[in-house]
Amino acid sequence: MIHLFSASRVPLCGRCASKILRPPSASVADPRRYLSKATRTSTRPTLAQKPINTHLLRRYETAFQPLKPPSPGSLGKPSHAKTYRRSRKLLRRLVQLSVLVAAVYGIDTQFFEASITRSFRTFSVGLLIALDYKINFRPDPWIGESIADLHARSAQRVFDLLRLNGGLYLKIGQAIAMQSAVLPPEFQKMFAKMFDDAWQNDWKDAEYVIRRDFGKSVEEVFGVSFDGDPTKGVMERKARASASVAQVHWARLPDGREVAIKIQKREIATQVGWDLWTFRTVSRIYGWWFDLPLYHLVPYVCERLMLETDFRNEAKNAENMRKLVQGEPRLRDRVYIPEVYHDMTSKHVMTAEWIEGVRLWDKEGITGSWQGGRQRGSPGAGGRLLDPIPPSVALSVPSQHPTDEKLKPTRDSWRGPSQTGGLGLPLQQVMETMVGLFSAQMFLWGLVHCDPHPGNIFIRRLPSGKPELVLIDHGLYIQMDPKFRHEYALFWRSLMTFDNATIKCITEGWGINAPDMFASATLMRPYQGGDGKTLADIKSMSKMEQKQRQFEMQQRMRTGIRDILANQDKFPQELIFIGRNLRIVQGNNQFLGSPVNRVKITGMWASRALADNPHASFGDRWREYGRHVLFRGVLLSTDVVFYWAKLRQWLGWGHGMDDDLEEGMRKMVEGMGVELQHGVFEG
């Protein structure tokens, strides 16, 4: 036994000491100094006979000694220090990427109005939707319960993208919304919100656009004053309306004219090129991915949308339509196109006559009792100048806040003291005028307004008590080729007379291999003529299990689209926007309760256009007049259907002819996962 720490006289054997003492690498003193003197000099036989501590003491003889540096040999073989090169490289690249992204985002936001960010967002959302459809478009999707869930997810993603990007994306979204009546119901419900007012830009942005285009201030261009000068005009700095690409301000010029100043939003000029490029790229990828021949239509659509952002083109369209309406005796006294003031119009600013009227969606305002007096019309009706504003309005300008100005006088005395009156007009006359106007555009003039939703139509009352329809927003137009216009009129007349041979001949010339399906889409009702191939295919699948049937029918719908667009070189691209026009007009008629036989009126204008063709020979015109007389007799059968529908509507058994037609169309396509609705037009 040895004794460590003699002060405590604790006995400790050598084996235990070897475990307790620190290893050689530790910086400790010689353990022998911890032994007591008695222990070191002890001559007891047990310690002399058993050299227990010899190895232990020898082991610690080479340990580090205080104030004595270790020898090089005792330090071991040298090794390189760890530098963590891969981690440092990864961190460096991450920092570089972050700096690059921040720089690109800053440049994009500062100089490109976030166009690159918007494009990247579009590509990422588009890729996500494409992958979702590629994986889950099957009878039993991997994600979700049914294909309806897939449509709902995709509709929400597209809607969020369009609202977040804004600008031209909203215009594209509104175009989708107008066609969403033949899309899955999940898209319809989502896109019904696309007609809400867009946000307004600040007044300083509007000032910037005016100065950029005219090189002069707002006061110099329009002769207005914001300091209360009574000798000049006044202008509201808060927009009266705001849409996807522009906003409208009211102004009163020094000469007394009240005008609507349409100012394009500042960022649109920079974004439009990027947005259309993104639209083309995504359309090309989707066309390839889903095997749909859609891309050949995209350049034409982009061209129309690009022209819509040039207000000089809109001014030209409005002027041409104004002349055509004034030259047509059947519409001259029923339709009004506001005058455009070209000296105050540029690429991004358009000045036109201010319109006072009732929007088409205000049914109570149209049909309510007239309290404006006999032989008097509503304000501005027939192009009459509006009453002058009081001089106090100009003097009050400095005291009003720019973001909450209310300078335009309210002209609603014709509503009566209780403000419950209306124009006192029958809806039938209103819709007859509307359907006649757009039919004349398609069949007589070939210049078609492609955005006739209720927000672009005002109704006024003439002194005679007749309605006057005012059409605004002339940015989106198409010009029909004379040959195509003639064929389209003949196509419509053939639809009404079930002339299947002519229908097949015309549609084959347009590169369409599904004439019965295209005829149904044109009439917005199931077409009972033709070979009935589409209807037969639908009925043959009616007994399938629900999920499998829905999947198969939507596959059939895709095949039908390919059949319609079979020959891309022959397909008239104008049909895209004409179909949009027809669908919107039908929706307007349904919204007002189907007061007119829309199909009959459209067919009548088509037949009359063939008879009035100025390029036909004398003999051909007489033959067409004879066919037109016979055609009018054929249309009597549609009157029977119309009045029967009106009787059922009066008895509470139905909702009107257009609703009955749509119900038939809905039954035709309900198995395709498509649900026809007109609620998207009520905006």
Side-chain angles (χ1 to χ4, degrees), residues 330 439 443-444 486 488-494 496-497 599-613 621 623-635:
R330 290 170 287 182
S439 298
F443 304 126
L444 283 184
H486 176 80
Y488 194 66
L490 182 59
F491 175 75
W492 255 94
R493 190 175 70 181
S494 301
M496 305 298 296
T497 58
V599 176
K600 173 188 174 181
I601 296 173
T602 305
M604 189 74 73
W605 278 88
S607 179
R608 183 61 185 267
L610 293 172
D612 292 340
N613 184 10
R621 292 186 68 176
R623 279 190 292 271
E624 288 296 342
Y625 271 117
R627 294 187 182 117
H628 178 64
V629 172
L630 293 175
F631 181 72
R632 291 179 67 94
V634 171
L635 289 184

mmCIF file of all heavy atoms in Angstrom, residues 330 439 443-444 486 488-494 496-497 599-613 621 623-635:
data_model
loop_
_atom_site.group_PDB
_atom_site.id
_atom_site.type_symbol
_atom_site.label_atom_id
_atom_site.label_comp_id
_atom_site.label_asym_id
_atom_site.label_seq_id
_atom_site.Cartn_x
_atom_site.Cartn_y
_atom_site.Cartn_z
ATOM 1 N N ARG A 330 -81.259 52.247 -89.574
ATOM 2 C CA ARG A 330 -81.905 51.418 -88.558
ATOM 3 C C ARG A 330 -81.300 51.606 -87.162
ATOM 4 O O ARG A 330 -81.892 51.173 -86.172
ATOM 5 C CB ARG A 330 -81.817 49.942 -88.967
ATOM 6 C CG ARG A 330 -82.684 49.579 -90.158
ATOM 7 C CD ARG A 330 -82.385 48.186 -90.676
ATOM 8 N NE ARG A 330 -81.108 48.128 -91.380
ATOM 9 C CZ ARG A 330 -80.613 47.037 -91.970
ATOM 10 N NH1 ARG A 330 -81.294 45.903 -91.899
ATOM 11 N NH2 ARG A 330 -79.460 47.069 -92.609
ATOM 12 N N SER A 439 -74.987 42.776 -84.279
ATOM 13 C CA SER A 439 -75.208 42.008 -85.515
ATOM 14 C C SER A 439 -74.766 42.811 -86.730
ATOM 15 O O SER A 439 -74.158 42.269 -87.668
ATOM 16 C CB SER A 439 -76.679 41.624 -85.636
ATOM 17 O OG SER A 439 -77.084 40.790 -84.567
ATOM 18 N N PHE A 443 -72.114 41.463 -89.505
ATOM 19 C CA PHE A 443 -72.586 41.066 -90.828
ATOM 20 C C PHE A 443 -72.579 42.191 -91.858
ATOM 21 O O PHE A 443 -72.497 41.924 -93.064
ATOM 22 C CB PHE A 443 -74.001 40.496 -90.714
ATOM 23 C CG PHE A 443 -74.111 39.345 -89.749
ATOM 24 C CD1 PHE A 443 -75.031 39.369 -88.716
ATOM 25 C CD2 PHE A 443 -73.280 38.239 -89.876
ATOM 26 C CE1 PHE A 443 -75.140 38.316 -87.820
ATOM 27 C CE2 PHE A 443 -73.377 37.174 -88.989
ATOM 28 C CZ PHE A 443 -74.300 37.217 -87.953
ATOM 29 N N LEU A 444 -72.677 43.450 -91.406
ATOM 30 C CA LEU A 444 -72.707 44.566 -92.345
ATOM 31 C C LEU A 444 -71.349 45.238 -92.504
ATOM 32 O O LEU A 444 -70.891 45.471 -93.625
ATOM 33 C CB LEU A 444 -73.731 45.617 -91.892
ATOM 34 C CG LEU A 444 -75.207 45.344 -92.123
ATOM 35 C CD1 LEU A 444 -76.026 46.546 -91.696
ATOM 36 C CD2 LEU A 444 -75.469 45.023 -93.590
ATOM 37 N N HIS A 486 -68.828 37.512 -95.346
ATOM 38 C CA HIS A 486 -69.892 36.932 -96.161
ATOM 39 C C HIS A 486 -70.133 35.471 -95.763
ATOM 40 O O HIS A 486 -71.292 35.034 -95.622
ATOM 41 C CB HIS A 486 -69.521 37.025 -97.640
ATOM 42 C CG HIS A 486 -70.515 36.374 -98.557
ATOM 43 N ND1 HIS A 486 -71.692 36.978 -98.934
ATOM 44 C CD2 HIS A 486 -70.512 35.149 -99.167
ATOM 45 C CE1 HIS A 486 -72.371 36.178 -99.727
ATOM 46 N NE2 HIS A 486 -71.677 35.053 -99.888
ATOM 47 N N TYR A 488 -69.520 34.074 -92.907
ATOM 48 C CA TYR A 488 -70.081 33.976 -91.564
ATOM 49 C C TYR A 488 -71.582 34.293 -91.567
ATOM 50 O O TYR A 488 -72.366 33.657 -90.855
ATOM 51 C CB TYR A 488 -69.344 34.923 -90.619
ATOM 52 C CG TYR A 488 -69.627 34.660 -89.161
ATOM 53 C CD1 TYR A 488 -69.222 33.472 -88.558
ATOM 54 C CD2 TYR A 488 -70.323 35.584 -88.392
ATOM 55 C CE1 TYR A 488 -69.494 33.217 -87.217
ATOM 56 C CE2 TYR A 488 -70.599 35.344 -87.047
ATOM 57 C CZ TYR A 488 -70.183 34.157 -86.474
ATOM 58 O OH TYR A 488 -70.453 33.901 -85.159
ATOM 59 N N ALA A 489 -71.990 35.265 -92.373
ATOM 60 C CA ALA A 489 -73.420 35.556 -92.503
ATOM 61 C C ALA A 489 -74.157 34.365 -93.110
ATOM 62 O O ALA A 489 -75.254 33.989 -92.654
ATOM 63 C CB ALA A 489 -73.624 36.807 -93.359
ATOM 64 N N LEU A 490 -73.568 33.747 -94.126
ATOM 65 C CA LEU A 490 -74.179 32.575 -94.741
ATOM 66 C C LEU A 490 -74.230 31.408 -93.759
ATOM 67 O O LEU A 490 -75.203 30.644 -93.725
ATOM 68 C CB LEU A 490 -73.391 32.180 -95.992
ATOM 69 C CG LEU A 490 -73.925 30.996 -96.806
ATOM 70 C CD1 LEU A 490 -75.342 31.265 -97.289
ATOM 71 C CD2 LEU A 490 -72.998 30.700 -97.987
ATOM 72 N N PHE A 491 -73.212 31.276 -92.936
ATOM 73 C CA PHE A 491 -73.168 30.225 -91.921
ATOM 74 C C PHE A 491 -74.322 30.393 -90.932
ATOM 75 O O PHE A 491 -75.009 29.424 -90.585
ATOM 76 C CB PHE A 491 -71.815 30.278 -91.208
ATOM 77 C CG PHE A 491 -71.679 29.326 -90.053
ATOM 78 C CD1 PHE A 491 -71.504 27.968 -90.269
ATOM 79 C CD2 PHE A 491 -71.720 29.787 -88.747
ATOM 80 C CE1 PHE A 491 -71.375 27.084 -89.206
ATOM 81 C CE2 PHE A 491 -71.593 28.918 -87.672
ATOM 82 C CZ PHE A 491 -71.417 27.565 -87.903
ATOM 83 N N TRP A 492 -74.571 31.623 -90.500
ATOM 84 C CA TRP A 492 -75.654 31.874 -89.552
ATOM 85 C C TRP A 492 -77.018 31.564 -90.180
ATOM 86 O O TRP A 492 -77.874 30.959 -89.538
ATOM 87 C CB TRP A 492 -75.604 33.329 -89.072
ATOM 88 C CG TRP A 492 -75.084 33.448 -87.678
ATOM 89 C CD1 TRP A 492 -73.801 33.682 -87.291
ATOM 90 C CD2 TRP A 492 -75.846 33.322 -86.479
ATOM 91 N NE1 TRP A 492 -73.714 33.710 -85.924
ATOM 92 C CE2 TRP A 492 -74.959 33.502 -85.391
ATOM 93 C CE3 TRP A 492 -77.188 33.090 -86.206
ATOM 94 C CZ2 TRP A 492 -75.370 33.440 -84.063
ATOM 95 C CZ3 TRP A 492 -77.603 33.030 -84.876
ATOM 96 C CH2 TRP A 492 -76.695 33.198 -83.824
ATOM 97 N N ARG A 493 -77.198 31.987 -91.413
ATOM 98 C CA ARG A 493 -78.489 31.702 -92.047
ATOM 99 C C ARG A 493 -78.676 30.201 -92.236
ATOM 100 O O ARG A 493 -79.795 29.674 -92.072
ATOM 101 C CB ARG A 493 -78.584 32.420 -93.396
ATOM 102 C CG ARG A 493 -79.988 32.356 -93.998
ATOM 103 C CD ARG A 493 -80.095 33.158 -95.266
ATOM 104 N NE ARG A 493 -79.346 32.550 -96.380
ATOM 105 C CZ ARG A 493 -79.275 33.070 -97.594
ATOM 106 N NH1 ARG A 493 -79.902 34.212 -97.851
ATOM 107 N NH2 ARG A 493 -78.578 32.480 -98.544
ATOM 108 N N SER A 494 -77.618 29.495 -92.544
ATOM 109 C CA SER A 494 -77.698 28.044 -92.724
ATOM 110 C C SER A 494 -78.006 27.341 -91.410
ATOM 111 O O SER A 494 -78.690 26.306 -91.393
ATOM 112 C CB SER A 494 -76.386 27.520 -93.310
ATOM 113 O OG SER A 494 -76.105 28.139 -94.554
ATOM 114 N N MET A 496 -79.940 28.494 -89.135
ATOM 115 C CA MET A 496 -81.360 28.693 -88.863
ATOM 116 C C MET A 496 -82.245 27.826 -89.749
ATOM 117 O O MET A 496 -83.381 27.500 -89.385
ATOM 118 C CB MET A 496 -81.731 30.162 -89.054
ATOM 119 C CG MET A 496 -80.900 31.140 -88.238
ATOM 120 S SD MET A 496 -81.074 30.908 -86.472
ATOM 121 C CE MET A 496 -82.790 31.300 -86.259
ATOM 122 N N THR A 497 -81.749 27.461 -90.926
ATOM 123 C CA THR A 497 -82.552 26.676 -91.875
ATOM 124 C C THR A 497 -82.101 25.216 -91.943
ATOM 125 O O THR A 497 -82.578 24.469 -92.802
ATOM 126 C CB THR A 497 -82.468 27.298 -93.279
ATOM 127 O OG1 THR A 497 -81.097 27.357 -93.690
ATOM 128 C CG2 THR A 497 -83.052 28.696 -93.284
ATOM 129 N N VAL A 599 -81.629 34.974 -81.045
ATOM 130 C CA VAL A 599 -81.233 34.164 -82.195
ATOM 131 C C VAL A 599 -81.939 34.649 -83.462
ATOM 132 O O VAL A 599 -81.326 34.766 -84.534
ATOM 133 C CB VAL A 599 -81.546 32.675 -81.928
ATOM 134 C CG1 VAL A 599 -81.241 31.835 -83.155
ATOM 135 C CG2 VAL A 599 -80.742 32.180 -80.722
ATOM 136 N N LYS A 600 -83.218 34.972 -83.340
ATOM 137 C CA LYS A 600 -83.961 35.446 -84.509
ATOM 138 C C LYS A 600 -83.406 36.773 -85.012
ATOM 139 O O LYS A 600 -83.211 36.960 -86.223
ATOM 140 C CB LYS A 600 -85.436 35.601 -84.150
ATOM 141 C CG LYS A 600 -86.253 36.242 -85.264
ATOM 142 C CD LYS A 600 -87.672 36.561 -84.806
ATOM 143 C CE LYS A 600 -88.406 37.328 -85.905
ATOM 144 N NZ LYS A 600 -89.784 37.684 -85.496
ATOM 145 N N ILE A 601 -83.142 37.711 -84.098
ATOM 146 C CA ILE A 601 -82.640 39.026 -84.516
ATOM 147 C C ILE A 601 -81.285 38.889 -85.195
ATOM 148 O O ILE A 601 -81.020 39.498 -86.251
ATOM 149 C CB ILE A 601 -82.550 39.960 -83.297
ATOM 150 C CG1 ILE A 601 -83.941 40.214 -82.716
ATOM 151 C CG2 ILE A 601 -81.900 41.278 -83.680
ATOM 152 C CD1 ILE A 601 -83.920 40.992 -81.416
ATOM 153 N N THR A 602 -80.422 38.070 -84.632
ATOM 154 C CA THR A 602 -79.096 37.880 -85.227
ATOM 155 C C THR A 602 -79.211 37.245 -86.604
ATOM 156 O O THR A 602 -78.556 37.666 -87.565
ATOM 157 C CB THR A 602 -78.228 37.011 -84.307
ATOM 158 O OG1 THR A 602 -78.181 37.580 -83.001
ATOM 159 C CG2 THR A 602 -76.814 36.904 -84.849
ATOM 160 N N GLY A 603 -80.047 36.207 -86.712
ATOM 161 C CA GLY A 603 -80.228 35.565 -88.014
ATOM 162 C C GLY A 603 -80.825 36.504 -89.044
ATOM 163 O O GLY A 603 -80.455 36.466 -90.233
ATOM 164 N N MET A 604 -81.748 37.378 -88.616
ATOM 165 C CA MET A 604 -82.363 38.334 -89.536
ATOM 166 C C MET A 604 -81.321 39.299 -90.095
ATOM 167 O O MET A 604 -81.302 39.584 -91.307
ATOM 168 C CB MET A 604 -83.470 39.106 -88.819
ATOM 169 C CG MET A 604 -84.319 39.973 -89.735
ATOM 170 S SD MET A 604 -85.446 38.988 -90.730
ATOM 171 C CE MET A 604 -86.630 38.500 -89.479
ATOM 172 N N TRP A 605 -80.442 39.808 -89.237
ATOM 173 C CA TRP A 605 -79.395 40.709 -89.725
ATOM 174 C C TRP A 605 -78.422 39.982 -90.655
ATOM 175 O O TRP A 605 -77.951 40.567 -91.637
ATOM 176 C CB TRP A 605 -78.642 41.307 -88.537
ATOM 177 C CG TRP A 605 -79.325 42.488 -87.914
ATOM 178 C CD1 TRP A 605 -80.257 42.466 -86.924
ATOM 179 C CD2 TRP A 605 -79.127 43.854 -88.245
ATOM 180 N NE1 TRP A 605 -80.663 43.738 -86.609
ATOM 181 C CE2 TRP A 605 -79.980 44.618 -87.402
ATOM 182 C CE3 TRP A 605 -78.315 44.523 -89.153
ATOM 183 C CZ2 TRP A 605 -80.044 46.012 -87.451
ATOM 184 C CZ3 TRP A 605 -78.373 45.912 -89.206
ATOM 185 C CH2 TRP A 605 -79.224 46.645 -88.369
ATOM 186 N N ALA A 606 -78.146 38.709 -90.366
ATOM 187 C CA ALA A 606 -77.246 37.954 -91.242
ATOM 188 C C ALA A 606 -77.853 37.788 -92.630
ATOM 189 O O ALA A 606 -77.184 37.993 -93.656
ATOM 190 C CB ALA A 606 -76.950 36.590 -90.611
ATOM 191 N N SER A 607 -79.142 37.419 -92.685
ATOM 192 C CA SER A 607 -79.791 37.225 -93.977
ATOM 193 C C SER A 607 -79.909 38.538 -94.745
ATOM 194 O O SER A 607 -79.691 38.587 -95.969
ATOM 195 C CB SER A 607 -81.171 36.606 -93.757
ATOM 196 O OG SER A 607 -81.846 36.418 -94.979
ATOM 197 N N ARG A 608 -80.231 39.622 -94.045
ATOM 198 C CA ARG A 608 -80.360 40.919 -94.713
ATOM 199 C C ARG A 608 -79.007 41.408 -95.243
ATOM 200 O O ARG A 608 -78.933 42.036 -96.308
ATOM 201 C CB ARG A 608 -80.938 41.940 -93.736
ATOM 202 C CG ARG A 608 -81.174 43.320 -94.345
ATOM 203 C CD ARG A 608 -82.164 43.257 -95.498
ATOM 204 N NE ARG A 608 -82.304 44.532 -96.152
ATOM 205 C CZ ARG A 608 -83.255 45.433 -95.822
ATOM 206 N NH1 ARG A 608 -84.116 45.160 -94.837
ATOM 207 N NH2 ARG A 608 -83.345 46.568 -96.474
ATOM 208 N N ALA A 609 -77.927 41.092 -94.509
ATOM 209 C CA ALA A 609 -76.599 41.485 -94.980
ATOM 210 C C ALA A 609 -76.249 40.782 -96.283
ATOM 211 O O ALA A 609 -75.615 41.372 -97.168
ATOM 212 C CB ALA A 609 -75.550 41.170 -93.913
ATOM 213 N N LEU A 610 -76.662 39.520 -96.437
ATOM 214 C CA LEU A 610 -76.408 38.809 -97.695
ATOM 215 C C LEU A 610 -77.184 39.444 -98.842
ATOM 216 O O LEU A 610 -76.688 39.535 -99.976
ATOM 217 C CB LEU A 610 -76.808 37.337 -97.543
ATOM 218 C CG LEU A 610 -75.950 36.503 -96.575
ATOM 219 C CD1 LEU A 610 -76.574 35.127 -96.366
ATOM 220 C CD2 LEU A 610 -74.525 36.359 -97.119
ATOM 221 N N ALA A 611 -78.417 39.902 -98.544
ATOM 222 C CA ALA A 611 -79.227 40.526 -99.595
ATOM 223 C C ALA A 611 -78.717 41.915 -99.949
ATOM 224 O O ALA A 611 -78.872 42.365 -101.097
ATOM 225 C CB ALA A 611 -80.687 40.593 -99.148
ATOM 226 N N ASP A 612 -78.103 42.606 -98.989
ATOM 227 C CA ASP A 612 -77.627 43.975 -99.229
ATOM 228 C C ASP A 612 -76.170 44.035 -99.639
ATOM 229 O O ASP A 612 -75.564 45.121 -99.618
ATOM 230 C CB ASP A 612 -77.819 44.817 -97.952
ATOM 231 C CG ASP A 612 -79.289 45.051 -97.639
ATOM 232 O OD1 ASP A 612 -80.117 44.910 -98.554
ATOM 233 O OD2 ASP A 612 -79.602 45.363 -96.461
ATOM 234 N N ASN A 613 -75.596 42.911 -100.010
ATOM 235 C CA ASN A 613 -74.183 42.880 -100.370
ATOM 236 C C ASN A 613 -73.913 43.789 -101.573
ATOM 237 O O ASN A 613 -74.377 43.517 -102.684
ATOM 238 C CB ASN A 613 -73.763 41.442 -100.696
ATOM 239 C CG ASN A 613 -72.275 41.330 -100.996
ATOM 240 O OD1 ASN A 613 -71.510 42.278 -100.786
ATOM 241 N ND2 ASN A 613 -71.870 40.166 -101.481
ATOM 242 N N ARG A 621 -78.181 39.614 -106.202
ATOM 243 C CA ARG A 621 -78.860 40.355 -105.148
ATOM 244 C C ARG A 621 -80.349 40.044 -105.148
ATOM 245 O O ARG A 621 -80.963 39.909 -104.084
ATOM 246 C CB ARG A 621 -78.626 41.851 -105.327
ATOM 247 C CG ARG A 621 -77.178 42.273 -105.096
ATOM 248 C CD ARG A 621 -76.997 43.769 -105.141
ATOM 249 N NE ARG A 621 -77.652 44.420 -104.008
ATOM 250 C CZ ARG A 621 -77.575 45.727 -103.765
ATOM 251 N NH1 ARG A 621 -76.876 46.522 -104.577
ATOM 252 N NH2 ARG A 621 -78.193 46.261 -102.724
ATOM 253 N N ARG A 623 -81.748 37.252 -106.183
ATOM 254 C CA ARG A 623 -81.910 35.897 -105.638
ATOM 255 C C ARG A 623 -81.787 35.909 -104.105
ATOM 256 O O ARG A 623 -82.526 35.209 -103.407
ATOM 257 C CB ARG A 623 -80.865 34.960 -106.252
ATOM 258 C CG ARG A 623 -81.247 34.439 -107.635
ATOM 259 C CD ARG A 623 -80.326 33.340 -108.086
ATOM 260 N NE ARG A 623 -78.971 33.834 -108.346
ATOM 261 C CZ ARG A 623 -78.569 34.311 -109.526
ATOM 262 N NH1 ARG A 623 -79.422 34.365 -110.550
ATOM 263 N NH2 ARG A 623 -77.330 34.724 -109.690
ATOM 264 N N GLU A 624 -80.847 36.698 -103.594
ATOM 265 C CA GLU A 624 -80.679 36.784 -102.142
ATOM 266 C C GLU A 624 -81.893 37.444 -101.485
ATOM 267 O O GLU A 624 -82.284 37.054 -100.381
ATOM 268 C CB GLU A 624 -79.406 37.562 -101.792
ATOM 269 C CG GLU A 624 -78.118 36.807 -102.087
ATOM 270 C CD GLU A 624 -77.978 35.550 -101.228
ATOM 271 O OE1 GLU A 624 -78.675 35.433 -100.187
ATOM 272 O OE2 GLU A 624 -77.198 34.674 -101.600
ATOM 273 N N TYR A 625 -82.499 38.422 -102.174
ATOM 274 C CA TYR A 625 -83.705 39.032 -101.623
ATOM 275 C C TYR A 625 -84.824 38.005 -101.543
ATOM 276 O O TYR A 625 -85.603 37.982 -100.572
ATOM 277 C CB TYR A 625 -84.138 40.223 -102.481
ATOM 278 C CG TYR A 625 -83.508 41.529 -102.050
ATOM 279 C CD1 TYR A 625 -82.660 42.230 -102.910
ATOM 280 C CD2 TYR A 625 -83.783 42.076 -100.791
ATOM 281 C CE1 TYR A 625 -82.074 43.434 -102.520
ATOM 282 C CE2 TYR A 625 -83.203 43.278 -100.400
ATOM 283 C CZ TYR A 625 -82.352 43.950 -101.257
ATOM 284 O OH TYR A 625 -81.769 45.126 -100.862
ATOM 285 N N GLY A 626 -84.939 37.158 -102.547
ATOM 286 C CA GLY A 626 -85.950 36.104 -102.508
ATOM 287 C C GLY A 626 -85.702 35.135 -101.357
ATOM 288 O O GLY A 626 -86.638 34.747 -100.641
ATOM 289 N N ARG A 627 -84.441 34.748 -101.166
ATOM 290 C CA ARG A 627 -84.111 33.859 -100.044
ATOM 291 C C ARG A 627 -84.380 34.547 -98.703
ATOM 292 O O ARG A 627 -84.786 33.892 -97.739
ATOM 293 C CB ARG A 627 -82.645 33.437 -100.135
ATOM 294 C CG ARG A 627 -82.327 32.573 -101.355
ATOM 295 C CD ARG A 627 -80.908 32.057 -101.291
ATOM 296 N NE ARG A 627 -80.577 31.262 -102.463
ATOM 297 C CZ ARG A 627 -79.636 31.566 -103.347
ATOM 298 N NH1 ARG A 627 -78.917 32.686 -103.181
ATOM 299 N NH2 ARG A 627 -79.397 30.780 -104.371
ATOM 300 N N HIS A 628 -84.159 35.856 -98.670
ATOM 301 C CA HIS A 628 -84.382 36.579 -97.419
ATOM 302 C C HIS A 628 -85.870 36.581 -97.060
ATOM 303 O O HIS A 628 -86.235 36.419 -95.880
ATOM 304 C CB HIS A 628 -83.874 38.014 -97.553
ATOM 305 C CG HIS A 628 -84.114 38.851 -96.336
ATOM 306 N ND1 HIS A 628 -83.547 38.597 -95.104
ATOM 307 C CD2 HIS A 628 -84.907 39.963 -96.151
ATOM 308 C CE1 HIS A 628 -83.941 39.497 -94.226
ATOM 309 N NE2 HIS A 628 -84.776 40.333 -94.829
ATOM 310 N N VAL A 629 -86.739 36.736 -98.066
ATOM 311 C CA VAL A 629 -88.181 36.701 -97.805
ATOM 312 C C VAL A 629 -88.589 35.327 -97.283
ATOM 313 O O VAL A 629 -89.352 35.205 -96.314
ATOM 314 C CB VAL A 629 -88.959 37.057 -99.081
ATOM 315 C CG1 VAL A 629 -90.455 36.839 -98.858
ATOM 316 C CG2 VAL A 629 -88.688 38.497 -99.486
ATOM 317 N N LEU A 630 -88.088 34.264 -97.913
ATOM 318 C CA LEU A 630 -88.388 32.919 -97.437
ATOM 319 C C LEU A 630 -87.839 32.705 -96.027
ATOM 320 O O LEU A 630 -88.474 32.051 -95.190
ATOM 321 C CB LEU A 630 -87.800 31.878 -98.396
ATOM 322 C CG LEU A 630 -88.424 31.829 -99.790
ATOM 323 C CD1 LEU A 630 -87.670 30.835 -100.667
ATOM 324 C CD2 LEU A 630 -89.903 31.424 -99.689
ATOM 325 N N PHE A 631 -86.681 33.268 -95.784
ATOM 326 C CA PHE A 631 -86.046 33.107 -94.479
ATOM 327 C C PHE A 631 -86.887 33.753 -93.378
ATOM 328 O O PHE A 631 -87.002 33.216 -92.270
ATOM 329 C CB PHE A 631 -84.644 33.725 -94.517
ATOM 330 C CG PHE A 631 -83.886 33.605 -93.220
ATOM 331 C CD1 PHE A 631 -83.393 32.387 -92.804
ATOM 332 C CD2 PHE A 631 -83.662 34.719 -92.426
ATOM 333 C CE1 PHE A 631 -82.691 32.272 -91.614
ATOM 334 C CE2 PHE A 631 -82.970 34.617 -91.236
ATOM 335 C CZ PHE A 631 -82.481 33.387 -90.830
ATOM 336 N N ARG A 632 -87.469 34.901 -93.674
ATOM 337 C CA ARG A 632 -88.326 35.550 -92.683
ATOM 338 C C ARG A 632 -89.510 34.655 -92.324
ATOM 339 O O ARG A 632 -89.962 34.638 -91.162
ATOM 340 C CB ARG A 632 -88.824 36.887 -93.221
ATOM 341 C CG ARG A 632 -87.731 37.939 -93.343
ATOM 342 C CD ARG A 632 -88.311 39.233 -93.922
ATOM 343 N NE ARG A 632 -89.256 39.855 -92.988
ATOM 344 C CZ ARG A 632 -88.915 40.796 -92.119
ATOM 345 N NH1 ARG A 632 -87.660 41.226 -92.052
ATOM 346 N NH2 ARG A 632 -89.824 41.319 -91.315
ATOM 347 N N GLY A 633 -90.024 33.916 -93.311
ATOM 348 C CA GLY A 633 -91.099 32.980 -93.011
ATOM 349 C C GLY A 633 -90.622 31.835 -92.121
ATOM 350 O O GLY A 633 -91.334 31.396 -91.210
ATOM 351 N N VAL A 634 -89.398 31.363 -92.389
ATOM 352 C CA VAL A 634 -88.849 30.289 -91.555
ATOM 353 C C VAL A 634 -88.705 30.747 -90.106
ATOM 354 O O VAL A 634 -88.939 29.987 -89.160
ATOM 355 C CB VAL A 634 -87.492 29.823 -92.116
ATOM 356 C CG1 VAL A 634 -86.803 28.864 -91.151
ATOM 357 C CG2 VAL A 634 -87.681 29.155 -93.474
ATOM 358 N N LEU A 635 -88.331 32.026 -89.912
ATOM 359 C CA LEU A 635 -88.094 32.533 -88.563
ATOM 360 C C LEU A 635 -89.364 32.625 -87.739
ATOM 361 O O LEU A 635 -89.303 32.807 -86.518
ATOM 362 C CB LEU A 635 -87.433 33.912 -88.633
ATOM 363 C CG LEU A 635 -85.976 33.933 -89.097
ATOM 364 C CD1 LEU A 635 -85.418 35.343 -89.031
ATOM 365 C CD2 LEU A 635 -85.115 33.001 -88.260
#
